[in-house]
Amino acid sequence: MPGNAAPIKSVKLFFLFGILLAMATLTARAANPIDALVQDKRVALAMSLLDKNLDWVTEQQIAITEIPAPEFHEAARAAYVAKLLAACGLDVHTDSVGNVIGERGGSFGKSKDVVLVVAHLDTVFPAGTDVRVKRVNGRLQAPGIADDGAGLAALVAIARAMNEAQIKTQTKIVFAADVGEEGEGNLRGIRELMAAYKGNVRAVIALDGAATDYVTTIGLASRRLDMQITGPGGHSWSDFGAPNPITALARGIVQFSRTRVPQEPRTTFNFGVIDGGNSVNSIPAEAGVKVDLRSEDDAELARLESELRKSFASAVDEEMAAAEPGNEALKLKVTVIGVRPGGRLAADSPLLTAIENVDRYLGNRCRLERSSTDANLPLSQGIPAIAIGAGGLGGASHSLEEWYDPAGRELGLKRAMLTLLAIAGAQP
Ligand SMILES: [Zn+2]
C-alpha cells in the first residue's frame, strides 16, 4: 500500500533535514567573527577579568549611586567617575557642559575615527532624595541604582578590563560619563560629545540601565509643548460675551484631536496636563495645556507640531468670532518645553551585525526596541548608535523603590565589551 511507504520516506527526509540543519548551524557558528575575536589572548584575558572583578564593579556602582546627581547637578558624581576612569589608564578631562571624557588611543594610522561608549551621570531625583543603597533580599535598592548606576559601573568595568589586559584597538575609544540625559536635560551631554568629535564618530554605544534582552535601534523622537491662552477675563454674568480662554482651549483640543496619525511610522499625541480659571462664576483670564508628541519619524513629528499650532491658532480665531465685538483679543503663547530628535539604525549597519554576532556567540536572546535615550541624537544625525542594558536585572526605574540585582551581570559586561571591540577592531 502506498500509504505504508509514506512514513518511511518522511522519516528518511526528516533525518536528511536534521543533518543539513546541523551542517548549516556548524557553518554559521564557524562564520561568526566573534569566535576569532575571543581567540585573541588579550581579549580572552579581558573577558576573564570581567568575571573576576564583579565584586569591585558592584562596590563602584554603590559608591557612584550614593553621590547625588540631580539634573544640572552632576559635578560631584562626575569627579568620582573621572578618578575611576583615570585609574584605568585613560586620558581623562571634563568638558564645558560637565561630561567626563576618557580617551583610549587607537593604532590605526592617521584615522581620527572614534567609537563612543556612554553612560549617563544624571538621575531624575531632586536634591535631598535619600540615595543610600540598601540591600533588600539580595537586591540593591536605591534611586538611580540601575538607571544609570548599572551603566556607569559597566563603563568603568570595561575600561578597567581592557586596560589590565592591555588590549589594543584600531580605532580610538572614548569612554564618556555624560550629563543631561533625563527629563529637561534635553540630551545636552551627548549633544556636546557629538559636536566635539564631529565627523569622526564611527558608532555610539549607550549603556543605560540593566538587562541583556534588548537592543534599542530606534530613537523615538518627541516634542513637548505648553499651549497658553490668555484674555481679559471678567464676570460670568455681567461680562458674558467676552472671549473665554478655556472655551478656546477646548476648541483647540477638539480640533487637533481630529488629526490623523500614521501607524507606521508610529506616531502619538497626548494632552497630559490642563489648567486654568479660578472660580466657577468668573470668565478665566488664562488656560493652558501641556502636550506630548512622539513619532518614529522626525518629519511626521514636525507635521504634527505644525498641525497643533494651526489648530490652536484657529481655535482662538473661532472663539474671537463667537465673542461680542469690541472685546480685548485672546493671546496664544506656545512654548516648546522639550525636544528629542529621533532616528533609526539601518538594518544592514555593521553595528547591528556586531551585536547580533555577539549575542549569537554568547547564546543571548534579544529583541529590537525603540526608546528614548542618548542614542537618539547620533541616530538623528545618521550615525550608527544603539542603547543596551549593562547586565543584571533591574526594576521600578525612576521611582524611590528602584532596584538592581547583579546576578548575571557578567553577561551584560561581556556583551558590551565584545560589541565595542568588534566595532573598534581588536589589534593582535
Ligand atoms: Zn537612563
Side-chain angles (χ1 to χ4, degrees):
M1 236 169 88
N4 284 342
I8 295 167
K9 231 187 215 167
S10 59
V11 165
K12 274 186 186 163
L13 267 177
F14 188 73
F15 196 61
L16 193 65
F17 270 131
I19 291 172
L20 284 172
L21 195 68
M23 282 169 68
T25 312
L26 280 173
T27 318
R29 278 205 71 83
N32 190 342
I34 306 303
D35 286 324
L37 180 64
V38 295
Q39 293 298 309
D40 182 293
K41 264 188 279 169
R42 288 188 254 226
V43 175
L45 175 59
M47 293 279 277
S48 68
L49 286 169
L50 290 178
D51 287 319
K52 201 180 128 208
N53 296 339
L54 282 173
D55 288 343
W56 177 84
V57 177
T58 300
E59 276 164 36
Q60 294 316 318
Q61 182 179 3
I62 293 170
I64 291 166
T65 305
E66 291 189 335
I67 305 171
E71 284 170 35
F72 301 102
H73 300 282
E74 299 100 338
R77 182 178 287 190
Y80 186 80
V81 175
K83 262 192 216 153
L84 288 175
L85 290 178
C88 299
L90 303 181
D91 185 1
V92 179
H93 71 279
T94 303
D95 70 10
S96 61
V97 298
N99 294 319
V100 174
I101 299 167
E103 296 193 346
R104 198 176 190 284
S107 55
F108 198 60
K110 285 182 235 94
S111 167
K112 285 185 175 158
D113 276 12
V114 300
V115 178
L116 197 56
V117 195
V118 297
H120 65 87
L121 289 161
D122 56 321
T123 70
V124 296
F125 304 99
T129 305
D130 182 359
V131 290
R132 280 172 300 175
V133 178
K134 298 177 207 77
R135 289 183 188 262
V136 184
N137 304 326
R139 289 170 167 180
L140 303 173
Q141 190 176 306
I145 185 74
D147 182 15
D148 195 16
L152 290 165
L155 193 75
V156 295
I158 294 166
R160 179 179 170 184
M162 284 177 63
N163 183 49
E164 287 180 359
Q166 299 182 349
I167 291 182
K168 291 191 179 70
T169 55
Q170 295 173 347
T171 306
K172 186 192 229 181
I173 297 175
V174 176
F175 290 88
D178 68 348
V179 297
E181 195 273 342
E182 302 282 9
E184 313 271 315
N186 217 10
L187 303 182
R188 72 185 197 290
I190 187 78
R191 222 176 277 276
E192 184 64 26
L193 288 168
M194 295 309 291
Y197 295 98
K198 196 176 163 79
N200 299 319
V201 182
R202 185 186 286 190
V204 179
I205 299 172
L207 303 170
D208 203 341
T212 47
D213 59 348
Y214 73 92
V215 50
T216 297
T217 57
I218 298 175
L220 213 47
S222 74
R223 279 182 91 82
R224 289 163 187 177
L225 296 100
D226 186 7
M227 320 293 289
Q228 286 287 334
I229 300 174
T230 51
H235 193 279
S236 64
W237 172 260
S238 55
D239 295 315
F240 183 68
N244 185 318
I246 288 183
T247 315
L249 199 77
R251 289 180 196 274
I253 292 171
V254 170
Q255 255 193 53
F256 178 72
S257 300
R258 297 199 183 104
T259 306
R260 295 205 167 258
V261 290
Q263 291 281 341
E264 255 319 300
R266 184 168 158 80
T267 302
T268 64
F269 60 82
N270 181 54
F271 291 102
V273 181
I274 191 163
D275 58 69
N278 34 40
S279 88
V280 67
N281 54 345
S282 300
I283 298 167
E286 59 187 335
V289 64
K290 291 194 170 103
V291 198
D292 172 73
L293 310 175
R294 295 180 182 222
S295 180
E296 291 170 6
D297 181 79
D298 267 343
E300 195 52 45
L301 193 66
R303 183 191 71 90
L304 206 58
E305 182 182 343
S306 128
E307 286 298 324
L308 180 73
R309 288 172 182 268
K310 266 191 247 163
S311 296
F312 275 70
S314 99
V316 164
D317 290 347
E318 227 178 74
E319 176 64 11
M320 285 312 297
E324 292 287 342
N327 270 294
E328 190 190 310
L330 293 177
K331 285 191 192 75
L332 170 66
K333 188 177 168 221
V334 184
T335 313
V336 177
I337 53 176
V339 184
R340 281 187 179 221
R344 176 188 288 259
L345 183 65
D348 61 353
S349 162
L351 181 58
L352 187 57
T353 307
I355 194 158
E356 282 172 349
N357 285 339
V358 168
D359 278 335
R360 202 147 48 89
Y361 171 77
L362 294 171
N364 183 48
R365 288 170 71 92
C366 130
R367 61 181 193 279
L368 301 186
E369 271 288 345
R370 52 189 150 209
S371 178
S372 183
T373 66
D374 267 341
N376 273 50
L377 202 87
L379 285 173
S380 78
Q381 299 172 348
I383 293 163
I386 52 173
I388 54 177
L393 287 172
S397 185
H398 291 197
S399 86
L400 296 177
E401 283 75 42
E402 188 171 335
W403 60 269
Y404 179 78
D405 182 348
R409 185 209 297 267
E410 58 276 21
L411 177 65
L413 299 180
K414 289 174 184 172
R415 183 178 187 233
M417 187 180 74
L418 288 176
T419 305
L420 172 62
L421 291 176
I423 288 296
Q427 196 90 313

